[in-house]
């Protein structure tokens, strides 16, 4: 029988990574969950209590992923690692200095790769969580004639210098993802790594939190679920308010994306490729419709909009990635299931926040 996989997972407390961690553990893998501080370990231990103090789960802390040799200590393990999943990267929509996106994304990626080369030569496969932001031309006009269809062969063209020159997170976040992913591919192309690289490029990621009880208030939600809450559910909204425009139609469920990480880590066919993990298109209007169906008690808050008008504008870009289903083997659930599962948690979190403040 083959030895079970030994996996290092960075950013393990993140929205996506907790689903990855759960699926790795359920598959019987042994995982070192790496986070930025001891307090994040305490939270994870509560959600994964079943595995605490078993050989399947241990923890590591890397407080600053940008320093030279950042991962060298946590990469040393007995049994040694054969898989590394790197998800840690800043993702928020607020203006910070561009370098605060660029440095952790790019240096975090090159540090883990060079650390593997230095101290963990047993690693055979590295999966980096990139983004559609590394594919699309996010600063360009989304509408064109003919309509643009993005595939995994496309790259966000923003350069480091262009990203450095602005603090607009709509430019700097996508650039951080593109430049970090490019740095990973360059590392391999330059022959510096003795491992197979796989990158995953998801668009908007929605669906339930792994453990909603961790989140005390809506302000603590991760970026992609927070955007839904703020646009369609936040206190003060009225059903007569307009549904905000959709900036990103492309989406995937977080559980399906987590499964894509497991397949990317283990399938021979996944090696040395980019995988655009996109379930389809989803408008804010459809999200509003699903939220209204699922949460009758919130009908006075969630904008009605025009329930039948769910289509994107003529010429708005689309995506094509049949290989992710056909070769990688990812299956996608419906947007209705994804948004409804999240909706129930969002009201639970809101109720808890109200109860604790009264
Ligand atoms: P979360 O914010 O929930 O998780 C991000 C993780 O990265 C956390 O563990 C966080 O640690 C860590 N992190 C953030 N900034 C730093 C930093 N400066 N140094 C070290 N670690 C850091 O986001 P998601 O789960 O949504 O994102 C996970 C990955 O998926 C990211 O790489 C993101 O770019 C990518 N992605 C997400 C999409 C989405 O819609 N959610 C879409 C496409 C890609 P801490 O908790 O300590 O801050």
């Amino acid at each position: 029988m083959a030895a079970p996989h030994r996996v290092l997972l960075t950013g393990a407390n993140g929205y996506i990574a907790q689903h990855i961690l759960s699926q790795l553990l359920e598959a019987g893998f042994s995982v070192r969950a790496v986070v930025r501080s001891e307090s994040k370990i305490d939270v994870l231990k509560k959600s994964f209590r079943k595995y605490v103090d078993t050989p399947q789960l241990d923890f590591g802390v890397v407080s600053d992923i940008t320093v030279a040799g950042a991962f060298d200590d946590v990469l040393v393990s007995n049994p040694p690692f054969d898989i590394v999943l790197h998800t840690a990267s800043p993702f928020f929509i607020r203006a910070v200095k561009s370098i605060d996106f660029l440095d952790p994304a790019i240096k975090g990626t090159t540090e883990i790769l060079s650390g593997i080369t230095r101290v963990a030569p047993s690693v055979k496969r590295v999966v980096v969580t990139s983004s559609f932001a590394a594919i699309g031309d996010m600063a360009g006009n989304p509408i064109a004639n003919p309509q643009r269809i993005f595939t995994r062969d496309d790259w966000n063209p923003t350069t480091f210098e262009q990203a450095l020159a602005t603090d607009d997170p709509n430019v700097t976040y996508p650039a951080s993802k593109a430049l970090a992913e490019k740095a990973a591919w360059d590392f391999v192309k330059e022959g510096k790594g003795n491992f197979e690289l796989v990158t995953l490029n998801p668009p908007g990621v929605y669906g339930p939190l792994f453990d909603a009880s961790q989140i005390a208030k809506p302000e603590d939600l991760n970026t992609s679920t927070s955007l839904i809450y703020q646009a369609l559910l936040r206190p003060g909204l009225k059903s007569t308010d307009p549904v905000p425009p959709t900036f990103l139609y492309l989406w995937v469920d977080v559980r399906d994306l987590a499964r894509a990480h497991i397949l990317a880590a283990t399938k021979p066919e996944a090696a040395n490729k980019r995988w655009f993990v996109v379930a389809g298109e989803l408008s804010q209007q459809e999200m509003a419709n699903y939220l209204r169906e699922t949460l009758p008690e919130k009908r006075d808050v969630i904008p009605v909009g025009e329930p039948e008008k769910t289509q994107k504008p003529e010429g708005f870009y689309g995506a094509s990635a049949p290989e992710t289903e056909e070769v990688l083997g990812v299956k996608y659930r419906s947007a209705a299931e994804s948004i409804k599962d999240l909706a129930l948690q969002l009201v639970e979190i809101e109720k808890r926040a109200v109860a604790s403040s009264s």
Side-chain angles (χ1 to χ4, degrees), residues 52-88:
V52 172
D53 296 328
T54 75
Q56 260 196 276
L57 180 60
D58 65 326
F59 298 92
V61 172
V62 176
S63 54
D64 183 352
I65 65 175
T66 66
V67 299
F71 293 96
D72 286 10
D73 287 347
V74 295
L75 277 166
V76 176
S77 163
N78 185 11
F81 294 112
D82 58 333
I83 294 170
V84 168
L85 304 180
H86 180 52
T87 80

Side-chain angles (χ1 to χ4, degrees), residues 10-18 34-37 40 62-66 71 86-92 100-101 103-105 108 128-133 173 176-177 200-206 221-225 227 248 252 254 257 261:
T10 72
N13 62 313
Y15 164 60
I16 297 168
Q18 289 193 48
V34 176
V35 293
R36 283 208 272 187
S37 64
K40 311 253 162 163
V62 176
S63 54
D64 183 352
I65 65 175
T66 66
F71 293 96
H86 180 52
T87 80
S89 205
F91 179 29
F92 34 78
D100 294 334
F101 272 120
D103 251 5
V128 173
T129 312
S130 185
S131 172
F132 169 64
Y173 169 70
S176 76
K177 297 303 291 178
L200 295 176
N201 299 70
V205 184
Y206 312 122
L221 287 164
N222 71 290
T223 297
S224 54
T225 60
L227 287 172
L248 178 61
V252 66
V254 66
L257 177 61
H261 280 77

Side-chain angles (χ1 to χ4, degrees), residues 105-125:
I106 302 169
K107 288 188 186 164
T109 302
T110 51
E111 275 312 320
I112 195 141
L113 299 184
S114 60
I116 291 165
T117 307
R118 266 193 307 276
V119 304
S122 54
V123 171
K124 295 186 179 58
R125 180 78 61 94

Side-chain angles (χ1 to χ4, degrees), residues 284-317:
Q284 292 275 322
Q285 181 65 60
E286 284 169 284
M287 287 193 204
N289 296 352
Y290 295 138
L291 291 175
R292 288 181 63 78
E293 273 169 45
T294 316
L295 305 172
E297 73 274 30
K298 286 277 175 190
R299 284 190 165 202
D300 295 340
V301 174
I302 304 163
V304 175
E306 297 177 85
E308 306 302 321
K309 286 205 173 166
T310 56
Q311 290 308 304
K312 64 184 183 184
E314 180 91 17
F316 203 104
Y317 68 76

Side-chain angles (χ1 to χ4, degrees), residues 41-300:
I41 294 180
D42 295 341
V43 176
L44 276 184
K45 277 187 173 172
K46 284 189 192 133
S47 302
F48 291 90
R49 61 178 73 79
K50 189 172 138 193
Y51 296 97
V52 172
D53 296 328
T54 75
Q56 260 196 276
L57 180 60
D58 65 326
F59 298 92
V61 172
V62 176
S63 54
D64 183 352
I65 65 175
T66 66
V67 299
F71 293 96
D72 286 10
D73 287 347
V74 295
L75 277 166
V76 176
S77 163
N78 185 11
F81 294 112
D82 58 333
I83 294 170
V84 168
L85 304 180
H86 180 52
T87 80
S89 205
F91 179 29
F92 34 78
I93 305 292
R94 57 177 191 269
V96 294
K97 286 208 181 74
S98 54
I99 202 70
D100 294 334
F101 272 120
L102 297 169
D103 251 5
I106 302 169
K107 288 188 186 164
T109 302
T110 51
E111 275 312 320
I112 195 141
L113 299 184
S114 60
I116 291 165
T117 307
R118 266 193 307 276
V119 304
S122 54
V123 171
K124 295 186 179 58
R125 180 78 61 94
V126 179
V127 181
V128 173
T129 312
S130 185
S131 172
F132 169 64
I135 290 180
D137 179 3
M138 310 301 273
N141 189 339
I143 294 178
N145 184 10
Q147 173 206 33
R148 186 136 189 224
I149 300 292
F150 288 105
T151 73
R152 65 173 169 178
D153 296 331
D154 291 305
W155 278 95
N156 173 340
T158 312
T159 63
F160 186 82
E161 291 68 31
Q162 287 167 334
L164 208 53
T166 173
D167 288 337
D168 176 354
N170 295 310
V171 176
T172 52
Y173 169 70
S176 76
K177 297 303 291 178
L179 296 165
E181 193 193 337
K182 272 187 191 148
W185 288 117
D186 286 347
F187 189 96
V188 170
K189 272 189 220 138
E190 288 161 16
K192 293 188 199 156
N194 194 20
F195 48 77
E196 296 165 333
L197 178 66
V198 186
T199 61
L200 295 176
N201 299 70
V205 184
Y206 312 122
L209 311 167
F210 176 72
D211 179 359
S213 74
Q214 285 175 3
I215 307 291
K217 52 187 189 308
E219 293 74 20
D220 297 341
L221 287 164
N222 71 290
T223 297
S224 54
T225 60
S226 163
L227 287 172
I228 297 179
Y229 180 82
Q230 292 303 332
L232 299 169
L233 265 175
R234 70 174 189 277
L237 280 174
K238 295 188 296 298
S239 58
T240 50
D241 287 338
V243 170
T246 310
F247 293 105
L248 178 61
Y249 285 87
L250 306 175
W251 81 284
V252 66
D253 182 272
V254 66
R255 296 160 288 190
D256 299 338
L257 177 61
R259 172 78 185 138
H261 280 77
I262 314 298
L263 294 167
T266 53
K267 265 204 150 181
E269 302 90 314
N272 302 318
K273 293 195 175 72
R274 272 182 127 187
W275 299 93
F276 187 2
V277 191
V278 51
E281 298 187 352
L282 176 61
S283 64
Q284 292 275 322
Q285 181 65 60
E286 284 169 284
M287 287 193 204
N289 296 352
Y290 295 138
L291 291 175
R292 288 181 63 78
E293 273 169 45
T294 316
L295 305 172
E297 73 274 30
K298 286 277 175 190
R299 284 190 165 202
D300 295 340

